[in-house]
Amino acid sequence: DRRLLQPAQVCDILKGVILVICYFMMHYVDYSMMYHLIRGQSVIKLYIIYNMLEVADRLFSSFGQDILDALYWTATEPKERKRAHIGVIPHFFMAVLYVFLHAILIMVQATTLNVAFNSHNKSLLTIMMSNNFVEIKGSVFKKFEKNNLFQMSNSDIKERFTNYVLLLIVCLRNMEQFSWNPDHLWVLFPDVCMVVASEIAVDIVKHAFITKFNDITADVYSEYRASLAFDLVSSRQKNAYTDYSDSVSRRMGFIPLPLAVLLIRVVTSSIKVQGILAYICVVLFYCGLISLKVLNSIVLLGKSCQYVKEAKMEEKLFNPVLTATPGKPAGKQQSMFKSTQGISTDENGSTSVTNQPVHQKENTPSLLVTSNSDQFLTTPDGEEKDISQDSSELKHRSSKKDLLEIDRFTICGNRID
């Protein structure tokens, strides 16, 4: 009660200040010099650089989420608490440095993609698109459970959205170089469609074969949708820790600040605003974006409530453990919820997010389904008893997690503990 601002408002102010500072710092980065420096490299070297940038982007997202969480908690913790950290100011400068470096990394990604678009023989673009099909080889023939597939789905959503923003930056930079000639947009259109189509086709093939090889039904994606809807609805509380999209973005490992800094920097440098009429158009455009955000928020909240109701997850929303307290992250409260909530299982022994929380039964089916033909081909008759004993031990030793119980702090690192 002694605070002048609520924790969510403090976090919003910190985000705004970081955004403004990093935007002015990005003016000292020369995009044209970076473009010509990357353009002078060989095709194979650029292909290796692009793959390294994708790995670095995931590592930056994981590390940056921890930095921002430390800043938000330090700025909103109770004043009576004895502080055992370095303070708000050092955490703030660390957050500014992280957002600036991550924005530069995304700019190098966009520049490499822009060089691939502007190459004459399009060989670099073809090699970069073939990198998506290598992703099928690395994921299809591995063992996946429902929680791991949920992690991969969130990562694919974040990756596809980031690719759309990178393509928008490439189009803006090219249109600026050709004085906003609409004819040049149709020259870029086939390449943009090829990038988007290859990404969608790879995701469809990858998820289709993963579900086929691991005997996972397609209904599991409706559970994933209900889980994301539950995150969105549960974050709509009076004393929220931060903004409403934080729970969903945290689960996907998506940090919007570096991408927003780069996008604002590219838009302001590509579009020149001169005259009173231009400023009026900018204000009207900004008001339109605010209206679109409010409308999008209303639609998302309505659809999320519908999905939660269809999945019969309303009782979990009113659990008192999930109630957010000012200055405490929602992800940590979600981990506290692990010890109080039961886990329900479906017929195949895999956890289900759509069922009501019940006590876990002792006689859950085994994770490994072994057929008689497999035992006949691979083991002698005398070892059948050992196989049954091993499967029973695996049955009691396996720990299962509900989709809602996955620790969101590990999502950015693309792993599940």
Side-chain angles (χ1 to χ4, degrees):
D1 296 334
R2 286 181 263 174
R3 287 184 178 274
L4 183 62
L5 298 175
Q6 293 182 359
Q9 296 173 342
V10 174
C11 294
D12 290 338
I13 291 176
L14 289 174
K15 290 178 183 179
V17 174
I18 292 174
L19 194 69
V20 173
I21 293 176
C22 293
Y23 168 73
F24 285 106
M25 291 174 64
M26 288 295 292
H27 282 283
Y28 294 96
V29 180
D30 192 353
Y31 184 88
S32 301
M33 184 181 68
M34 184 184 298
Y35 176 83
H36 290 290
L37 181 64
I38 295 176
R39 190 179 179 87
Q41 307 298 324
S42 62
V43 175
I44 300 300
K45 186 183 292 185
L46 289 180
Y47 174 70
I48 297 175
I49 290 175
Y50 191 78
N51 290 334
M52 293 174 60
L53 290 175
E54 288 186 348
V55 176
D57 180 56
R58 292 189 178 185
L59 297 179
F60 264 71
S61 298
S62 177
F63 184 65
Q65 188 67 63
D66 296 335
I67 292 176
L68 294 177
D69 287 337
L71 173 64
Y72 298 153
W73 168 247
T74 306
T76 57
E77 67 175 342
K79 295 181 180 179
E80 297 83 6
R81 182 184 178 90
K82 183 180 179 180
R83 301 195 172 183
H85 47 73
I86 58 179
V88 180
I89 303 301
H91 281 154
F92 177 77
F93 283 112
M94 289 173 61
V96 170
L97 180 62
Y98 154 71
V99 174
F100 177 66
L101 293 179
H102 199 175
I104 293 178
L105 187 143
I106 300 175
M107 176 182 282
V108 176
Q109 275 186 299
T111 307
T112 307
L113 190 62
N114 195 7
V115 171
F117 268 76
N118 293 329
S119 59
H120 297 289
N121 52 3
K122 296 292 188 296
S123 60
L124 177 60
L125 186 62
T126 305
I127 294 176
M128 291 170 63
M129 292 306 100
S130 65
N131 191 30
N132 293 329
F133 294 92
V134 178
E135 185 180 353
I136 297 178
K137 177 185 176 182
S139 59
V140 166
F141 301 105
K142 292 182 179 180
K143 175 65 178 177
F144 277 88
E145 295 182 0
K146 292 174 64 176
N147 292 340
N148 302 100
L149 185 58
F150 184 40
Q151 166 62 45
M152 177 174 287
S153 302
N154 291 331
S155 179
D156 290 340
I157 294 172
K158 179 245 182 184
E159 181 183 358
R160 189 177 298 183
F161 179 78
T162 305
N163 288 336
Y164 290 159
V165 176
L166 293 180
L167 290 175
L168 177 61
I169 292 174
V170 169
C171 292
L172 287 175
R173 297 299 301 178
N174 280 275
M175 293 297 293
E176 179 196 5
Q177 297 298 323
F178 287 88
S179 302
W180 298 94
N181 187 6
D183 295 335
H184 184 67
L185 183 62
W186 296 108
V187 177
L188 295 173
F189 188 73
D191 296 332
V192 173
C193 291
M194 184 178 69
V195 173
V196 175
S198 65
E199 185 72 26
I200 295 176
V202 166
D203 289 342
I204 291 175
V205 173
K206 179 176 65 176
H207 284 269
F209 280 97
I210 286 176
T211 53
K212 178 181 183 297
F213 292 154
N214 295 276
D215 196 18
I216 301 176
T217 61
D219 296 334
V220 72
Y221 292 100
S222 62
E223 298 182 12
Y224 299 160
R225 182 183 62 185
S227 178
L228 294 176
F230 180 86
D231 288 338
L232 182 61
V233 175
S234 60
S235 62
R236 295 271 179 167
Q237 298 177 7
K238 184 177 181 180
N239 294 324
Y241 169 70
T242 181
D243 57 11
Y244 296 141
S245 61
D246 182 70
S247 298
V248 181
S249 62
R250 182 187 297 274
R251 185 179 288 277
M252 293 183 180
F254 174 67
I255 303 178
L257 280 178
L259 205 60
V261 169
L262 178 60
L263 190 59
I264 295 174
R265 170 71 176 86
V266 172
V267 170
T268 53
S269 62
S270 302
I271 301 175
K272 305 299 181 183
V273 180
Q274 296 177 351
I276 300 178
L277 184 60
Y279 282 103
I280 293 176
C281 292
V282 170
V283 172
L284 292 176
F285 181 72
Y286 181 72
C287 294
L289 287 179
I290 293 178
S291 302
L292 182 62
K293 184 182 185 305
V294 173
L295 179 61
N296 188 30
S297 177
I298 294 174
V299 173
L300 285 178
L301 181 60
K303 298 296 290 185
S304 300
C305 292
Q306 178 184 350
Y307 295 145
V308 170
K309 189 176 296 184
E310 290 176 356
K312 299 179 181 179
M313 299 167 61
E314 298 95 332
E315 292 184 3
K316 296 182 181 181
L317 288 173
F318 302 103
N319 195 312
V321 181
L322 285 177
T323 304
T325 57
K328 188 164 187 179
K332 295 184 179 179
Q333 295 169 358
Q334 201 76 9
S335 62
M336 292 174 57
F337 183 57
K338 296 179 184 179
S339 59
T340 60
Q341 180 186 355
I343 305 175
S344 58
T345 56
D346 56 9
E347 296 178 355
N348 295 327
S350 56
T351 55
S352 175
V353 74
T354 58
N355 297 327
Q356 297 294 336
V358 294
H359 295 288
Q360 188 173 4
K361 298 180 180 180
E362 295 181 357
N363 53 351
T364 53
S366 174
L367 290 175
L368 296 178
V369 181
T370 57
S371 61
N372 295 328
S373 60
D374 295 337
Q375 296 179 4
F376 178 75
L377 291 175
T378 57
T379 58
D381 296 335
E383 296 181 2
E384 292 182 359
K385 185 180 296 184
D386 296 334
I387 293 176
S388 61
Q389 292 178 356
D390 293 338
S391 62
S392 62
E393 291 178 1
L394 181 61
K395 180 197 313 179
H396 297 288
R397 197 169 59 239
S398 61
S399 61
K400 301 178 182 180
K401 295 183 180 180
D402 193 275
L403 293 177
L404 293 176
E405 296 180 354
I406 300 176
D407 189 2
R408 298 192 185 109
F409 289 91
T410 65
I411 294 300
C412 296
N414 198 16
R415 60 187 175 87
I416 296 178
D417 293 335

